[in-house]
Amino acid sequence: MTGAPRDGEAAIVAEGLRKRYGTREVLEGVDLRVLRGELVALLGPNGAGKTTTVEILEGYRRADAGTVRVLGLDPAREGRALRPRIGLMLQGGGVDPRSTPREVLRLHARLFRDPEDPDALLEEAGLAPVAGTRYRRLSGGEQQRLGLALALLGRPELLVLDEPTAGMDPAAKQATRERIAALRAAGTTILLTTHELGDVERLADRVVVLDRGRLIATGSPSELTGGGSPRVRFRLSAPLDAAARSELAAAVAAGSRVADDGAGNRYELAGLASPPDARTVAALAAWCGERGLLIAELRVGAASLEERYLELVGRDAVA
Amino acid sequence: MTATTPIGVGRPARPASWPAMVGALTAQELRLAARRGENLLAQFVIPVGALIVLSALDVGGSSAGARGVDHALPASIALAVIAAALVSLGIATGYERSYGVLKRLGGSPAGTSVLVAAKTLGVVVVEAIQVVLLVAIAVVLLGWSPGPGANALLVGAGLVLGTVAFAGLGLLLAGTLRAEATLALANLLFVLALALGGIAVPLDRLPPALAAVAGALPPAALVQVLYAGLTGTGDASAALAVLAGWAVGLVVLAAWRFRWD
């Protein structure tokens, strides 16, 4: 078993997926390829088509057009053979609130001949102390951990995780990220849909961005962030008016402009003809020094994944 | 595989056999149903109460020699079927849909065929207990005995068609409405069936127009079929046809309109 994605061996191949609900076209020819052993994050604003895409891959819905193969099978026609090989972690939990974690895990374990031990999964998920507590009384983080434990009962080849760290405190988030990273390292193929871009930057081999039913970007997190224009962002000890911003831009680089980031004296040097370098920073520092302005923060370089994502889908989109 | 392989990684587990999965989900259905106090009230307490009260009040007794219990037993069995197949199944399924339980099970090795089979079996088990309980009470406490021309086949056909019709209606509500709306509507239909479905008041004692409408609906048709089967009197062919029509129509409609999430 290897942690490296296996080139050429595709776990998911979707081509030209189209789906329409009434008059609304939610998928307009989406292509998606996930290699075995790869962790791919599917991103997009609400309504982008992520859920519909995943539901077609899971066999819950049929595409109006296009082809889908998951682990070499057609989810719509060969669901019976496919379902035991996929582990699903649903955002809503999918658990009766009167059930306890032990009951739910044992019930789902009985759907397999040789599943993982439910008690071992409870222990590993840190749910042993609440194994007999009704689901509705569990915290959001405990419910999420139960969802992941349920997805792992059948030792799936493909794990589909929907918002795996939503509702978790920072420590639980970190533990879940480590758990997912360990699964990925052990060779499990993982398709992750999330709005937590921190998870994506830390975990994903590749990111696929959907918007309005179309695939608008794909690549590794570093490829995606490298694709954005280099930036100089800074925070000053005092605000700059429009005239001062124009003066600063002219002093630092001809043709550039200083954009107000909208909060807390934060600004961005935009419209640079060439990537920022030491002279750019020196010019900025000199201009500020002459006016007694302290540069409280300075960041030079590529955009974060969140910034790049917002560039791709539009800043008005809800990430 | 090394000692450091995390739990959940390795050769994929094989799915259990179809009967094993059905058995597991049926047991869970019954376990959860037993935890719902309102379920037990609708499925057992009210039908037993109806049997005793209708029999004591001699509702359905007639000059032709029929006693109160002759109407009370088929009426209470029909009420029990409605409680199990419409009210309990519909409400439970509606909430499972809203919680995402159906979606999770649909994506598990079980799939929809196991889920439908387990729900069906759950209803059948509950109905078997209901019928045995009601008949035992009728025999032991109320002195009931089947009529000389009693027809077990007709009773069985009535139970099957009635169960299919009311389960179809319950699943139609559960698969198309919000869980809260399913809860309200299923309970309302239960009360209407009790009051106007030939159960609390036999059809021949309702105003003619109301009786004509009620007679074309499944509760009264089920009572008529069960009455004919248990007493061996009357012609149930029209009621059987009505019940069969509703059963087919409601199941087709439920299968067409049902949404799993």
Side-chain angles (χ1 to χ4, degrees):
Chain A
M1 193 162 289
T2 173
R6 282 160 270 173
D7 285 344
E9 278 189 65
I12 298 173
V13 182
E15 290 173 345
L17 289 188
R18 289 185 172 276
K19 183 70 183 176
R20 177 185 288 274
Y21 296 129
T23 58
R24 194 166 65 93
E25 192 155 29
V26 291
L27 294 182
E28 300 180 22
V30 169
D31 297 330
L32 178 67
R33 189 178 179 86
V34 177
L35 298 179
R36 285 187 184 258
E38 205 178 18
L39 194 159
V40 171
L42 187 57
L43 305 183
N46 293 332
K50 302 189 299 292
T51 302
T52 301
T53 302
V54 171
E55 287 183 343
I56 290 170
L57 300 176
E58 292 166 343
Y60 286 125
R61 296 190 196 286
R62 282 174 187 256
D64 297 334
T67 58
V68 190
R69 304 295 286 181
V70 178
L71 302 175
L73 300 168
D74 179 346
R77 296 175 191 279
E78 298 167 290
R80 196 168 177 179
L82 181 60
R83 287 192 300 269
R85 299 169 63 190
I86 301 181
L88 303 179
M89 179 181 180
L90 306 177
Q91 193 181 354
V95 175
D96 191 304
R98 294 160 302 164
S99 301
T100 68
R102 182 181 290 118
E103 273 177 348
V104 178
L105 276 167
R106 286 184 177 172
L107 170 69
H108 281 262
R110 289 177 67 191
L111 304 179
F112 295 95
R113 284 179 205 270
D114 48 355
E116 291 289 4
D117 176 7
D119 292 333
L121 275 166
L122 280 171
E123 193 69 45
E124 204 222 17
L127 293 170
V130 293
T133 304
R134 296 279 166 94
Y135 183 76
R136 64 167 171 252
R137 300 200 186 287
L138 300 181
S139 69
E142 288 166 339
Q143 292 181 349
Q144 291 290 89
R145 280 183 275 152
L146 177 60
L148 182 55
L150 279 166
L152 294 174
L153 265 170
R155 294 183 294 277
E157 293 168 64
L158 170 64
L159 198 51
V160 181
L161 306 177
D162 193 355
E163 300 287 354
T165 60
M168 288 184 173
D169 62 44
K173 266 186 190 174
Q174 183 55 28
T176 301
R177 283 175 188 144
E178 287 171 7
R179 183 90 183 85
I180 294 169
L183 291 163
R184 149 75 182 79
T188 305
T189 307
I190 300 173
L191 181 64
L192 170 72
T193 61
T194 183
H195 288 150
E196 292 269 357
L197 297 181
D199 289 354
V200 176
E201 272 187 309
R202 288 175 181 85
L203 296 169
D205 296 307
R206 208 152 49 79
V207 177
V208 173
V209 185
L210 288 181
D211 190 27
R212 298 183 185 91
R214 292 174 184 274
L215 191 155
I216 59 168
T218 182
S220 69
S222 60
E223 284 170 346
L224 277 186
T225 53
S229 50
R231 297 164 169 216
V232 177
R233 279 153 294 170
F234 53 98
R235 183 166 66 86
L236 298 179
S237 56
L240 298 178
D241 60 22
R245 293 203 302 272
S246 298
E247 196 183 320
L248 170 58
V252 173
S256 69
R257 59 190 170 80
V258 172
D260 188 339
D261 228 16
N265 302 337
R266 290 175 195 277
Y267 302 96
E268 180 178 339
L269 198 55
L272 290 167
S274 57
D277 55 17
R279 282 172 298 178
T280 315
V281 175
L284 171 64
W287 189 90
C288 291
E290 286 166 10
R291 285 154 186 80
L293 289 167
L294 174 67
I295 302 176
E297 285 176 26
L298 176 65
R299 186 175 169 193
V300 181
S304 68
L305 184 60
E306 182 172 345
E307 289 165 337
R308 181 66 181 132
Y309 170 80
L310 289 171
E311 277 180 7
L312 286 166
V313 303
R315 284 190 175 267
D316 54 339
V318 179
Chain B
M1 188 153 313
T2 68
T4 56
T5 301
I7 297 179
V9 176
R11 201 167 65 112
R14 292 164 298 155
S17 67
W18 197 86
M21 289 195 274
V22 171
L25 290 187
T26 303
Q28 176 74 357
E29 285 279 322
L30 295 172
R31 198 177 299 124
L32 290 177
R35 285 185 194 165
R36 290 190 289 263
E38 70 278 12
N39 249 2
L40 300 178
L41 180 74
Q43 293 185 137
F44 295 100
V45 178
I46 293 178
V48 167
L51 172 64
I52 294 169
V53 170
L54 294 177
S55 183
L57 295 177
D58 201 23
V59 173
S62 72
S63 54
R67 298 175 306 146
V69 70
D70 291 330
H71 168 77
L73 182 59
S76 60
I77 291 175
L79 195 61
V81 168
I82 296 169
L86 167 61
V87 180
S88 180
L89 177 68
I91 293 172
T93 307
Y95 277 99
E96 285 170 354
R97 176 172 162 250
S98 76
Y99 297 143
V101 174
L102 298 184
K103 186 175 183 183
R104 174 173 288 288
L105 286 170
S108 75
T112 52
S113 71
V114 169
L115 193 56
V116 170
K119 287 200 168 291
T120 306
L121 200 55
V123 170
V124 168
V125 169
V126 169
E127 286 186 0
I129 297 169
Q130 289 172 318
V131 171
V132 168
L133 180 68
L134 291 167
V135 170
I137 291 172
V139 170
V140 174
L141 297 182
L142 306 173
W144 178 82
S145 59
N151 183 342
L153 207 58
L154 187 57
V155 173
L159 288 173
V160 169
L161 289 174
T163 301
V164 172
F166 289 110
L169 181 55
L171 293 177
L172 179 63
L173 300 182
T176 54
L177 302 176
R178 290 180 47 183
E180 295 79 8
T182 300
L183 172 78
L185 200 50
N187 281 320
L188 176 66
L189 291 172
F190 181 72
V191 172
L192 286 175
L194 174 62
L196 302 172
I199 293 172
V201 183
L203 281 191
D204 56 11
R205 298 191 189 173
L206 289 174
L210 192 56
V213 173
L217 297 174
L222 178 56
V223 175
Q224 285 179 286
V225 172
L226 293 175
Y227 182 89
L230 290 168
T231 62
T233 60
D235 179 8
S237 52
L240 207 54
V242 166
L243 206 50
W246 278 105
V248 171
L250 287 166
V251 164
V252 169
L253 204 55
W256 177 43
R257 301 298 300 175
F258 194 91
R259 283 183 48 87
W260 293 87
D261 56 5

